[in-house]
Amino acid sequence: MDFNGSDTVVGPAGADVLPDTVTTAVKVVVVGGFGVGKTTLVGSVSEIRPLTTEETMTQAGVGVDDPTGVEQKTSTTVAMDFGRISISDRLVLYVFGTPGQERFWFLWNGLFEGALGAVVLVDTRRLEVSFEVIGRLEERGVPFVVAVNGFAEAPAVPVDELRGALDLPPEVPIVTCDARSRESGRDTLMTLMHYLYELAAPSVPAPSAPAPAPAPAP
């Protein structure tokens, strides 16, 4: 069949082809408030060229989006980010990033379909932008870990204080990360995978009490 004068069908680049050894693929989602580093994290961990839907911020967002603390930001995700990372020869993660602005949160329904868990990126300068995000995950029953993105000017907050400020139960992992670093992003995703494994692992039955000794014969 001839398309534009050529019968060559162009497929994905060699580096993007899923290895034949892969037997399991897991979908996870990176969420967080506006400007916390979701696109950066997805892009840094992805072993393929990431898909992004970054658009230049315009006057349409004035009075709607809150740029407090990220006034220098000039672009924003309007649909999703997507990347892929191999955890082993047999396991890959498909990583989806969500838009940060509340006006785009209607897209969550599709992005979370089939997802096993989420990473919540937070910025300690603007913890309040994470409250509604975490609340929505809890309403959906989506397991998640919290990753504190280490912005240079962000204050260091002790884990106990952070857990209290975000009203997190003690079992939810909290880690620090650098969204720009592939190694740090991979470690964050591995924390999520370990947490999901712990939640899925069957409970170890408590050892049974020893049977009572038989009564002596009369």
Side-chain angles (χ1 to χ4, degrees):
M1 184 176 294
D2 187 21
F3 292 98
N4 297 325
S6 173
D7 58 359
T8 302
V9 178
V10 179
D16 295 347
V17 176
L18 196 64
D20 294 335
T21 56
V22 172
T23 59
T24 304
V26 174
K27 178 181 180 181
V28 297
V29 183
V30 179
V31 301
F34 181 49
V36 296
K38 300 179 297 297
T39 298
T40 300
L41 176 61
V42 174
S44 67
V45 301
S46 183
E47 63 197 15
I48 62 175
R49 182 177 180 180
L51 167 68
T52 63
T53 56
E54 287 270 297
E55 295 292 343
T56 301
M57 296 173 63
T58 67
Q59 291 297 313
V62 176
V64 179
D65 302 328
D66 182 7
T68 303
V70 287
E71 292 86 357
Q72 75 284 0
K73 190 170 173 61
T74 60
S75 62
T76 185
T77 298
V78 296
M80 68 172 187
D81 303 309
F82 171 74
R84 188 189 80 202
I85 179 173
S86 297
I87 300 302
S88 68
D89 290 341
R90 296 171 29 173
L91 172 65
V92 300
L93 300 185
Y94 291 127
V95 186
F96 289 78
T98 63
Q101 302 99 309
E102 188 172 351
R103 60 192 169 109
F104 293 126
W105 283 1
F106 68 92
L107 296 168
W108 279 36
N109 292 332
L111 291 175
F112 271 89
E113 186 174 349
L116 291 190
V119 171
V120 180
L121 267 186
V122 302
D123 178 353
T124 57
R125 299 169 301 177
R126 302 179 297 123
L127 284 179
E128 67 280 359
V129 302
S130 304
F131 296 159
E132 183 66 22
V133 171
I134 291 174
R136 289 172 67 89
L137 290 176
E138 292 174 337
E139 289 175 2
R140 290 171 175 266
V142 177
F144 63 90
V145 301
V146 170
V148 180
N149 195 6
F151 292 96
E153 61 276 20
V157 180
V159 171
D160 289 344
E161 291 185 20
L162 187 61
R163 189 178 300 278
L166 297 175
D167 195 23
L168 297 175
E171 66 272 12
V172 173
I174 300 176
V175 298
T176 58
C177 79
D178 181 345
R180 303 165 299 178
S181 165
R182 187 170 193 271
E183 291 75 16
S184 181
R186 185 180 188 276
D187 289 345
T188 298
L189 293 172
M190 287 301 299
T191 298
L192 173 62
M193 296 306 295
H194 285 304
Y195 181 51
L196 293 176
Y197 177 79
E198 290 175 1
L199 293 177
S203 300
V204 178
S208 57

